[in-house]
Amino acid sequence: MHFDFDAKVAGPVLHGPALEAPEFDAPELTPLTKPLAEASVGLIVTSGAYYPEQMRLGERNDLSYRLLSRHRELTDILFAHKTPIRQFGLADPNVAYPRDTMVDLEQAGVFAHYAENAVSMVGSISRYEELATETAPRIVDEFAGMDVDLVLVVPFCPQCHNAAGVLARALERRGLPTTSLTTLYRHAMAVKPPRATFLDFPLGCPCGRPGRPEQQREIVRAALETVAAQGVDEPWQLHRLPFQWDEDGSRDWEQLVVDLYRVDDQIRGTVRGNLGAHGENLSSINGNEKEFAIRCAC
């Protein structure tokens, strides 16, 4: 079971078509050369996290990124991504930009080092070829300068799952091992980001429930340990993490997500416009995924 964004939000709330996703073949993996406990781990978030003195990220098709220092507390963090589910991150930034979680896991010895900077983008991107051929190499260089061995990619909104998946595949093909922590099942199954795990939680909460730091640490730790054990020759699969939003297994949270999309007319209009624009750009990939993957090395 998983949340059906198309049936519950895209049609009845946004009055638009289903969000398309390119159907890629399984990715080629770059070997993780160290045990997780000895590895340096980097982080990419697509929630548009940034600090007040940094230039705000654009709402759509912004291929730039911001570097977020591991030493900077979350008290001043802002989110540029105009999506209704940003409310979860506003309540607790760690669900969308898990800075505290990563520092805690480093201190617990789950991995050796959390990178000096995280990479933050607004994942509402459908300029996929530029993302893979221009942005991805720059990000590889950023993490190479930090001696990163593995990058955790955290997609945020529905469109982020497409863009973050393409980006993760492009990083992997350029020699940087990645893993993605996803909350949108159908799109992850289509794009097939390397070493992916699936968390059956609300969109906007890829790293756990707001206000539950212990659960957040358990989720991110489980995601990293699950994929670190995966060999490069194993068939691609979407690893499902065994966590529940409510202890009794209730799925009342699905209506909460629907209500967030329904309540704000201005942001809902922005989302609807983004979906339309991204759908037009996807038409150049759909049906040509193999050619695109070869051309863009993803």
Side-chain angles (χ1 to χ4, degrees), residues 9 17 36 50 52 108 146 158 161 199 225 271:
V9 176
L36 182 61
Y50 72 107
M146 293 182 265
H161 280 72
L199 178 68
E225 290 181 342
V271 173

Side-chain angles (χ1 to χ4, degrees), residues 2-284:
H2 53 271
F3 180 72
D4 190 335
F5 177 83
D6 299 326
K8 294 182 179 294
V9 176
V13 178
L14 301 178
H15 305 295
L19 174 62
E20 298 181 72
E23 294 272 354
F24 287 112
D25 291 335
E28 296 181 22
L29 299 185
T30 295
L32 179 59
T33 59
K34 297 179 181 178
L36 182 61
E38 299 175 12
S40 176
V41 180
L43 177 66
I44 296 176
V45 296
T46 67
S47 54
Y50 72 107
Y51 281 101
E53 71 276 9
Q54 296 176 315
M55 183 178 295
R56 182 186 176 96
L57 288 148
E59 296 174 14
R60 180 195 304 169
N61 276 327
D62 184 351
L63 296 174
S64 68
Y65 55 84
R66 305 291 178 266
L67 296 179
L68 307 177
S69 171
R70 60 164 288 156
H71 304 291
R72 182 80 178 264
E73 300 290 340
L74 295 178
T75 50
D76 295 328
I77 201 72
L78 302 170
F79 291 102
H81 201 329
K82 278 197 174 181
T83 171
I85 55 173
R86 70 201 299 269
Q87 296 300 325
F88 293 115
L90 294 175
D92 182 354
N94 275 293
V95 305
Y97 164 43
R99 176 265 179 192
D100 295 349
T101 303
M102 297 297 282
V103 171
D104 288 347
L105 292 178
E106 174 196 81
Q107 293 175 349
V110 175
F111 46 80
H113 182 67
Y114 171 46
E116 290 302 300
N117 294 298
V119 170
S120 175
M121 305 181 72
V122 169
S124 188
I125 295 170
S126 53
R127 291 163 59 186
Y128 297 116
E129 187 155 343
E130 293 167 84
L131 180 65
T133 61
E134 297 178 16
T135 305
R138 293 199 298 270
I139 292 176
V140 169
D141 289 343
E142 296 279 7
F143 283 126
M146 293 182 265
D147 294 322
V148 164
D149 302 299
L150 174 69
V151 173
L152 173 63
V153 182
V154 183
F156 194 53
C157 79
Q159 175 58 26
C160 292
H161 280 72
N162 286 347
V166 170
L167 178 60
R169 294 173 64 101
L171 298 177
E172 191 86 26
R173 287 290 301 275
R174 287 163 176 79
L176 181 60
T178 66
T179 178
S180 297
L181 180 49
T182 72
T183 56
L184 203 59
Y185 184 85
R186 183 175 72 82
H187 297 77
M189 289 294 293
V191 179
K192 298 181 182 64
R195 302 180 184 85
T197 53
F198 170 68
L199 178 68
D200 189 25
F201 270 35
L203 287 162
C205 296
C207 298
R209 185 166 179 166
R212 302 276 185 89
E214 183 176 351
Q215 182 203 63
Q216 294 164 11
R217 290 190 291 270
E218 290 175 354
I219 286 171
V220 175
R221 177 175 188 159
L224 291 171
E225 290 181 342
T226 297
V227 300
Q230 180 179 344
V232 294
D233 296 325
E234 294 181 29
W236 185 90
Q237 61 177 306
L238 184 58
H239 303 271
R240 190 181 187 108
L241 299 178
F243 298 93
Q244 297 184 127
W245 181 260
D246 287 310
E247 293 180 0
D248 63 1
S250 167
R251 300 189 66 82
D252 292 346
W253 60 262
E254 293 196 9
Q255 188 59 47
L256 174 59
V257 174
V258 173
D259 289 343
L260 286 175
Y261 274 93
R262 194 186 304 278
V263 72
D264 192 315
D265 287 339
Q266 181 179 0
I267 292 184
R268 189 165 72 242
T270 299
V271 173
R272 186 161 50 237
N274 287 348
L275 289 177
H278 294 319
E280 293 176 7
N281 288 350
L282 263 176
S283 64
S284 64

